[in-house]
Amino acid sequence: MIDRRFPLAALLAALTLPGAAGAQNFVQITDPANPIVSATANGTYTGAAWVDVDDDGLLDLFICRKNQIYRNLGGGAFEGQAAAITQQANPIGTTWSDYDNDGDIDCYLSGGQSLLSAPGLHRNDGNFTFTKIVAPDGGDVGDVTNNTGWGCAFGDVNNDGYTDILVAAANNFLGVTHPNVLLLNNGDGTFTRDTSTPVTELLDAHTIPTFSDYDQDGDQDIFIGSGEISRLDPDNLFRNLFQENGSFGFERITTAPIATDSLDGQVWNWIDFDNDRDLDAFQTNYNFNLSNHLYRNDAGTYVSMTSSDVGGIVATQGAALGNLWMDFDNDGDLDCLVTNDGGAANELWINDGDGTFTRDLSSPVVQGFGPHYGSPAGDYDNDGDVDLYIHGNDSTKGLYRNDLANGYGFLNLKLVGAGAPQSNVSAIGARVEALATIDGTPTWQMREVQAQNSFNAMNMLNVHFGLGNATVVDTVVVTWPAGGTTVLTDLAPSQFLQVNEASGTSAPAVGSAASRLALRVTPNPFASESAVSFALPTPGDVKLSVFDVAGRSVATLAQGRREAGAHRVTWDGRNASGGSVPSGVYFYRLDFGPESAVAKVVRID
């Protein structure tokens, strides 16, 4: 395991929140020493992805058409790993999965003939080096000429424990003149083209493909935005018949209104926005005269939401490309970012928890017009809130750190499948449900693990739950792609866990000292007294301190040898001299041998 400790001042800089507590607060990173900030943006409508390339527990950033990968060093620092993915040419989209189940994550890139993009599969060989799989070694995956397209996505369509590849072929765009491409993973490093289903029969302006088990029957269904700009038509949606027939196959979905509305579709996401344990749908439209659509799932009947139902999230118009869903404020429900092309600003919609959304007009992520393209989300600084990279051109792209200080808890889960014949190692297609009591109400939340969920872009594979003021996570249920389940109970909030299908157990995730030491702060915010709980894996010397946002020491709460196991220390809001500290953001820091953990706490009057 690599020790990626960093100075406290750098850690506080990565965690400190300027502004009011109680909501997400994105801060644009502008330091030109950060290679993500100083990098030039190549091409239009290109994507990006947050992926842990070296499996060290820190999310790295990949941007299409950049040969290097931006390696996360911890503490908000990145370095460019030059010549990581060569032979890219000019790809448009990206999707990532451990397709060969060897323990590291691989990359597929999509693009069209007119860009000489040479789309293809790039195998991760470790140490930030990749090998492009070419014909005949990879079978049909090496067929550059006939695999051209716009977007791409990994998904296991036949539940064999290996992820397959779907390429959305944008007919008459980028020189593409063929139907979609479905490449089945043979499990030996090769792929075979499948043309047996309606997915690969249609010629259309296919844009972004996404996989989701929208009907929760245990197989991966397909949803392809098919926006032609000049003409409105229903998008192309397909139901997987694997569970019905015992072998994979697809039939076109004809259900109204999701499959009958005339759209200029770009990205479909299936999400449980109302926490009722079924999947609702949101899709973005590029046509300036057409708003985006949110379809609520009412026990299998889909209802198209209006602005009177949910607010302006379905009323704005403005060349929408991507939509992505994360609980940015950790209050226990999913928020939405919509990225727009030139002439329109991005839209950040905060879930009010009652089925409606409020637009945030002040966040830096929505300032200025596009173009904005693929914009993935991920907790790159491992502080328990979700950050953003928004892709665009040199003046519109940006790295945004989420500095959340409302004291709400979270749960970050890395899922590891057992590999064939069980679930794929990346656990793509897994469903995770979590039960916690938030604001006095038992609340279930649900997430899916997906490898394409923005515009030609991919959020982190880790599953993130905001937990609000919950003091315990009562139950977590992981439903694996192979059909088995893992159930965890009585989890402390605000920790990073790895859940393994093979053992059916969880363990602290690699790469986050905070997760290994599992700091838990209650109540948070606090007025008179706050308690910090932690668990030591072995006996040893500890030091528990309080610091202010400037990194100045405020008080030492514990120092000396402690036994292995659980410990709890309280702080009454006083400094080392006995004086009461003012309201604001403070940090607990626990030092234990070579490791350290930090947690935010908010003092209020």
Side-chain angles (χ1 to χ4, degrees):
M1 181 178 61
I2 299 173
D3 181 6
R4 298 211 181 277
R5 289 176 295 157
F6 40 88
L8 178 65
L11 180 60
L12 296 186
L15 297 179
T16 304
L17 169 69
Q24 50 72 34
N25 186 8
F26 288 104
V27 175
Q28 184 169 7
I29 306 303
T30 58
D31 181 0
N34 186 317
I36 297 173
V37 174
S38 57
T40 56
N42 298 338
T44 57
Y45 303 112
T46 50
W50 286 111
V51 285
D52 187 358
V53 175
D54 54 351
D55 199 31
D56 66 347
L58 298 169
L59 292 174
D60 312 297
L61 182 66
F62 171 76
I63 303 172
C64 283
R65 305 191 188 185
K66 310 300 290 185
N67 286 339
Q68 61 184 313
I69 293 172
Y70 299 99
R71 183 183 187 183
N72 191 337
L73 302 178
F78 291 84
E79 68 178 11
Q81 297 291 307
I85 301 184
T86 57
Q87 301 183 62
Q88 283 189 52
N90 296 299
I92 296 290
T94 183
T95 183
W96 292 70
S97 169
D98 185 359
Y99 81 91
D100 49 5
N101 288 342
D102 67 347
D104 50 33
I105 194 164
D106 312 293
C107 174
Y108 187 85
L109 299 173
S110 58
Q113 290 278 30
S114 64
L115 295 175
L116 301 176
S117 66
L121 178 64
H122 299 258
R123 186 187 65 224
N124 188 342
D125 295 328
N127 198 29
F128 289 89
T129 61
F130 289 75
T131 298
K132 185 170 184 177
I133 306 302
V134 297
D137 294 342
D140 290 335
V141 80
D143 183 354
V144 172
T145 302
N146 296 306
N147 291 345
T148 54
W150 191 280
C152 53
F154 276 109
D156 185 358
V157 301
N158 51 9
N159 286 13
D160 65 350
Y162 293 98
T163 47
D164 312 297
I165 300 169
L166 175 62
V167 179
N171 188 47
N172 290 326
F173 287 82
L174 306 178
V176 177
T177 56
H178 57 76
N180 297 320
V181 178
L182 179 59
L183 298 166
L184 298 184
N185 190 335
N186 297 318
D188 59 1
T190 69
F191 290 75
T192 299
R193 186 187 314 276
D194 182 88
T195 58
S196 66
T197 76
V199 173
T200 58
E201 291 177 355
L202 301 171
L203 286 174
D204 207 343
H206 298 108
T207 50
I208 308 301
T210 55
F211 284 100
S212 173
D213 184 7
Y214 87 114
D215 51 5
Q216 298 182 53
D217 67 347
D219 49 35
Q220 292 291 286
D221 310 298
I222 289 175
F223 304 86
I224 307 176
S226 308
E228 199 166 318
I229 304 175
S230 61
R231 187 181 70 188
L232 303 182
D233 288 306
D235 281 342
N236 294 310
L237 318 179
F238 303 93
R239 180 169 176 252
N240 196 337
L241 301 177
F242 179 86
Q243 294 297 341
E244 288 77 9
N245 299 336
S247 60
F248 101 95
F250 291 93
E251 67 178 9
R252 192 177 184 97
I253 296 171
T254 59
T255 307
I258 59 172
T260 58
D261 280 348
S262 291
L263 309 170
D264 184 18
Q266 303 299 312
V267 175
W268 282 79
N269 268 311
W270 286 86
I271 37 83
D272 184 12
F273 83 91
D274 51 3
N275 287 344
D276 65 351
R277 303 182 76 183
D278 57 24
L279 290 173
D280 317 290
F282 187 83
Q283 66 84 225
T284 41
N285 291 293
Y286 190 84
N287 190 295
F288 266 100
N289 297 315
L290 193 63
S291 59
N292 303 318
H293 286 66
L294 176 60
Y295 300 100
R296 190 182 66 215
N297 184 347
D298 291 346
T301 298
Y302 298 98
V303 180
S304 184
M305 296 289 95
T306 66
S307 57
S308 62
D309 296 320
V310 294
I313 190 171
V314 295
T316 58
Q317 299 171 347
L321 291 173
N323 69 85
L324 63 91
W325 293 75
M326 284 283 183
D327 187 355
F328 292 116
D329 53 9
N330 278 356
D331 65 348
D333 47 42
L334 286 168
D335 311 302
C336 178
L337 177 73
V338 174
T339 57
N340 288 310
D341 202 357
N346 291 333
E347 304 164 32
L348 180 58
W349 295 95
I350 303 303
N351 194 328
D352 297 324
D354 59 0
T356 66
F357 293 82
T358 297
R359 187 173 184 177
D360 184 337
L361 296 172
S362 63
S363 174
V365 303
V366 299
Q367 303 305 309
F369 291 157
H372 297 110
Y373 311 132
S375 300
D379 185 2
Y380 77 80
D381 52 2
N382 279 358
D383 68 344
D385 50 37
V386 179
D387 315 295
L388 287 166
Y389 173 74
I390 296 181
H391 198 39
N393 60 30
D394 285 340
S395 61
T396 62
K397 71 178 181 66
L399 176 64
Y400 297 88
R401 188 185 66 229
N402 187 354
D403 287 346
L404 188 66
N406 56 14
Y408 287 165
F410 69 92
L411 193 62
N412 183 303
L413 302 176
K414 176 184 178 180
L415 306 187
V416 180
Q422 298 187 67
S423 303
N424 66 89
V425 167
S426 295
I428 291 169
R431 182 171 72 250
V432 187
E433 299 168 276
L435 172 65
T437 299
I438 302 174
D439 292 330
T441 301
T443 302
W444 279 99
Q445 301 179 63
M446 181 164 60
R447 308 282 189 268
E448 287 186 307
V449 180
Q450 300 168 314
Q452 183 69 232
N453 33 31
S454 183
F455 182 84
N456 274 331
M458 175 177 149
N459 299 333
M460 65 176 179
L461 288 178
N462 287 33
V463 173
H464 175 91
F465 291 101
L467 297 173
N469 58 8
T471 58
V472 66
V473 183
D474 300 288
T475 307
V476 170
V477 180
V478 179
T479 302
W480 299 95
T485 59
T486 297
V487 180
L488 310 173
T489 58
D490 296 325
L491 299 176
S494 299
Q495 59 176 316
F496 295 76
L497 291 176
Q498 177 172 305
V499 185
N500 301 299
E501 180 185 27
S503 62
T505 60
S506 66
V510 174
S512 169
S515 70
R516 290 193 296 271
L517 300 180
L519 287 185
R520 177 182 172 195
V521 180
T522 56
N524 192 5
F526 79 99
S528 59
E529 186 177 88
S530 169
V532 56
S533 302
F534 56 92
L536 300 181
T538 60
D541 291 330
V542 302
K543 183 178 181 180
L544 179 63
S545 308
V546 181
F547 293 84
D548 64 16
V549 294
R552 296 181 294 252
S553 177
V554 173
T556 299
L557 305 182
Q559 189 167 12
R561 185 172 179 80
R562 295 291 187 275
E563 296 303 313
H567 300 270
R568 183 176 185 271
V569 179
T570 61
W571 180 42
D572 59 4
R574 297 183 182 276
N575 58 30
S577 300
S580 182
V581 301
S583 298
V585 177
Y586 295 87
F587 297 88
Y588 291 116
R589 171 169 172 148
L590 177 67
D591 292 309
F592 176 68
E595 300 180 1
S596 61
V598 172
K600 291 179 286 192
V601 63
V602 180
R603 175 86 195 284
I604 58 175
D605 291 328

